Amino acid sequence: MKIAILSRKRELYSTSRLVSAAKERGHKIRVIDPVQCYMNISVDNPQIHYKGENLSGFDAVIPRIGASVTFYGTAVVRQFEMMGVYCVNESIAISRSRDKLRSLQLLARKGIGLPVSGFAHSTQYTSDLIDMVGGAPLVVKLLQGTQGIGVVLAETHKAAESVIGAFRGMKANLLVQEFIKESAGTDIRCFVIGDRVIASIKRTAKPGEFRSNLHQGGSANVVKISPAERSTATRAAKIMGLKVAGVDILRSNNGPVVMEVNSSPGLEGIEKATGKDIANLVIDFIEKNARPEKTKSVRQKLNA
Ligand code: ADP
Ligand code: MG
């Protein structure tokens, strides 16, 4: 097969692992920087050009769209879909997962366990907002954040009021969430491919920190997950429409709750902790599923 991986840099761990796994299995694979692509809007003959070349003949695309280029990156994925090329994660699913509010609303509608959450833009009624989600302690998040940046624990009502006030001053959309203290600085990352969790790790925050992000100094270990956690993770990925996903779960007293669903889950932490060849499993999935014109309905998608 001829595979394109949409990624800004071939040196990134996940990108280079996917490239070598594809080559080992006898495929041709190219790293394409999505922001260097330019496209035509055409009914009959949609094209993507890349540094002067007309890209053609691809059987599958692996999108690894960075959060900072979501808007343009998903447009490139959508163009591949219009050209009939199989995309492991479709553009609409990537866009959904990048919007925390939209994700939580979709998951809630389908009955997935979530931390009690509220969101706001510019309300002055901070105290009522805090009470609406059950009061302090609570976690306040900037909607656009990733890697733990913009996620703050407010231990008291007063602290919550001032954090929310500060975020409001920045004119930011914010999420106010019940603090799951019983998870004690840990979360579970489930790596989903298709309808299976193929690996899972427990991430533990460094001492004195509640955020378990590896970028915030957290550490990763293999973990055995429960059947409830397994089904929560696979259902969450399916609801988002993602074939490859990293589903982050907190272990709460009321069972597993989903924190977020990532459409470009990193391979480094989870491959190193579990010793599994996840890149190889992604390519295996593509071999079994890639077909031309498999995108559900481009027209429907463009209307969504
Ligand atoms: P980001 O998208 O920046 O990674 P997250 O929502 O995943 O933001 O939050 C970062 C980390 O903070 C999580 O991995 C988790 O360890 C901790 N955390 C987030 N929300 C909660 C919560 N409601 N209760 C307890 N811990 C939380
Ligand atoms: Mg996270």
Side-chain angles (χ1 to χ4, degrees):
M1 281 198 297
K2 189 170 158 191
I3 303 172
I5 173 161
L6 297 181
S7 166
R8 302 233 41 208
K9 279 205 196 97
R10 64 167 54 244
E11 300 79 37
L12 296 172
Y13 180 93
S14 304
T15 305
S16 70
R17 285 283 302 117
L18 288 161
V19 167
S20 29
K23 284 186 179 158
E24 269 166 36
R25 297 177 72 108
H27 302 298
K28 288 209 174 89
I29 182 158
R30 274 183 71 182
V31 179
I32 309 266
D33 179 358
V35 304
Q36 305 256 12
C37 292
Y38 45 100
M39 304 161 284
N40 65 341
I41 304 294
S42 153
V43 178
D44 306 326
N45 186 22
Q47 296 178 358
I48 301 177
H49 286 210
Y50 184 64
K51 301 178 178 171
E53 171 196 354
N54 185 359
L55 294 180
S56 67
F58 286 98
D59 303 297
V61 169
I62 306 175
R64 302 278 318 174
I65 307 296
S68 59
V69 295
T70 300
F71 179 74
Y72 196 75
T74 51
V76 176
V77 178
R78 197 155 51 237
Q79 187 83 349
F80 274 110
E81 291 164 9
M82 294 181 70
M83 290 159 60
V85 182
Y86 172 79
C87 297
V88 178
N89 280 334
E90 291 184 15
S91 56
I92 187 141
I94 300 169
S95 307
R96 267 186 208 124
S97 74
R98 285 292 156 78
D99 180 338
K100 286 189 190 197
L101 292 187
R102 188 173 173 191
S103 306
L104 291 178
Q105 287 172 323
L106 273 170
L107 296 170
R109 200 163 76 194
K110 300 283 182 180
I112 296 285
L114 300 169
V116 177
S117 305
F119 53 86
H121 179 69
S122 56
T123 180
Q124 306 287 315
Y125 296 88
T126 312
S127 217
D128 187 40
L129 174 64
I130 295 169
D131 292 341
M132 188 171 80
V133 294
L138 44 80
V139 177
V140 187
K141 303 183 187 185
L142 280 178
L143 228 47
Q144 291 82 356
T146 55
Q147 306 181 341
I149 301 158
V151 177
V152 182
L153 172 60
E155 313 229 27
T156 63
H157 191 102
K158 268 230 129 10
E161 275 191 316
S162 45
V163 175
I164 293 169
F167 283 174
R168 189 177 55 227
M170 294 162 57
K171 304 217 180 308
N173 292 307
L174 57 97
L175 189 64
V176 184
Q177 203 165 61
E178 164 194 18
F179 176 50
I180 310 291
K181 14 176 182 345
E182 57 271 28
S183 75
T186 65
D187 71 355
I188 311 288
R189 157 61 61 95
C190 298
F191 202 107
V192 177
I193 300 182
D195 52 9
R196 289 176 52 217
V197 176
I198 53 96
S200 43
I201 48 171
K202 181 177 183 169
R203 296 180 298 196
T204 306
K206 67 180 182 198
E209 173 60 70
F210 79 102
R211 296 166 299 174
S212 54
N213 300 69
L214 302 181
H215 285 98
Q216 299 296 336
S219 56
N221 293 291
V222 194
V223 70
K224 198 169 156 31
I225 56 170
S226 69
E229 288 162 350
R230 191 171 291 278
S231 82
T232 298
T234 51
R235 283 183 60 215
K238 183 150 197 227
I239 292 164
M240 303 302 294
L242 294 167
K243 304 292 176 348
V244 172
V247 182
D248 293 343
I249 286 178
L250 292 172
R251 287 182 162 164
S252 86
N253 290 337
N254 303 317
V257 291
V258 170
M259 226 174 5
E260 62 176 343
V261 184
N262 196 309
S263 57
S264 297
L267 299 185
E268 186 166 14
I270 196 157
E271 280 197 336
K272 288 186 173 161
T274 62
K276 288 193 179 161
D277 189 343
I278 296 177
N280 191 56
L281 295 174
V282 172
I283 305 298
D284 179 67
F285 178 82
I286 293 172
E287 287 172 13
K288 297 199 168 101
N289 290 278
R291 306 272 178 284
E293 307 293 345
K294 207 176 174 182
T295 299
K296 276 174 204 143
S297 161
V298 168
R299 198 149 276 139
Q300 196 179 326
K301 195 177 325 292
L302 291 176
N303 289 332

